[in-house]
Amino acid sequence: MIAAAETHGFLSPTGVEIAFLLVGLATLGAAVITVTTKQLVHAALWLVVALGGLAVEYLLLTAEFIAWVQVLIYVGSVVVLLLFGLMLTKAPIGRSPDADSGNRWVALSVAVAAAGSLVWVVVDAFRTTWIDLDGPAQGSTQVSGEILFRHWVLPFEALSVLLLAALVGAIVLSRKDAHDAEAAMDPEGKS
């Protein structure tokens, strides 16, 4: 068994590595469809597929807690909030000509430059980092909770306030439209 582990290398991937690559490609495809579709509701649904793919990637990395947080917070909350925002602001359901500004090449070049910069920064930052395999698993609930509540409490709370503000803003916009429609139907102000 030890000899088999020593012969495993870059050119002989395991089943988990192959599954990771295939799920990553499917997630990338869903993300590309999310940003290229002209139908807003379809974009939101493809976003669900992309975020679900990320949750599967976390499961393959044995970070079960982070995977379920991904499902509950992003797929369960953020996408539902986005869909409610689309419904409450009466966004068009079908193809939307306003969703395409004609700047695809500029957007593509900015996206490629941003992706290249991100890859360079991550590779440069973690080039000499090694994972301690003898300690607790990095994706475990204990380690994730300690990191989250020790170092990331303020951004975590700021994100929850931001999501609450977005929900309140969508409700205010929808109520204002309903009030304006009532005023237009009754110009004399009679009830």
Side-chain angles (χ1 to χ4, degrees):
M1 185 70 175
I2 294 174
E6 291 174 2
T7 60
H8 175 71
F10 179 72
L11 296 177
S12 59
T14 63
V16 172
E17 291 169 345
I18 292 170
F20 187 86
L21 180 65
L22 292 176
V23 171
L25 290 173
T27 303
L28 179 65
V32 168
I33 293 172
T34 299
V35 298
T36 57
T37 186
K38 292 184 180 181
Q39 296 184 6
L40 295 176
V41 175
H42 288 184
L45 295 175
W46 278 109
L47 182 63
V48 169
V49 174
L51 294 173
L54 286 176
V56 172
E57 296 284 36
Y58 287 132
L59 281 175
L60 290 172
L61 291 172
T62 66
E64 294 86 8
F65 176 71
I66 302 297
W68 288 116
V69 166
Q70 173 80 16
V71 169
L72 292 174
I73 301 235
Y74 287 105
V75 177
S77 301
V78 173
V79 174
V80 168
L81 182 66
L82 180 69
L83 287 172
F84 275 137
L86 287 173
M87 288 186 284
L88 290 174
T89 57
K90 297 182 179 80
I93 299 298
R95 294 183 73 80
S96 176
D98 296 336
D100 188 13
S101 67
N103 295 326
R104 287 181 184 254
W105 293 108
V106 175
L108 181 64
S109 62
V110 168
V112 168
S117 299
L118 182 63
V119 167
W120 180 74
V121 166
V122 168
V123 167
D124 188 51
F126 295 106
R127 182 172 297 158
T128 59
T129 302
W130 298 97
I131 298 173
D132 180 23
L133 297 177
D134 295 330
Q138 293 298 316
S140 70
T141 308
Q142 177 187 357
V143 173
S144 300
E146 287 176 1
I147 290 171
L148 179 66
F149 292 114
R150 186 174 296 155
H151 303 291
W152 296 100
V153 170
L154 186 61
F156 185 74
E157 292 300 323
L159 180 63
S160 65
V161 171
L162 177 70
L163 290 174
L164 178 64
L167 181 61
V168 170
I171 291 171
V172 167
L173 285 174
S174 70
R175 306 274 282 153
K176 188 182 292 184
D177 289 342
H179 184 269
D180 291 343
E182 285 180 10
M185 291 176 65
D186 190 13
E188 297 176 11
K190 296 178 184 174
S191 296

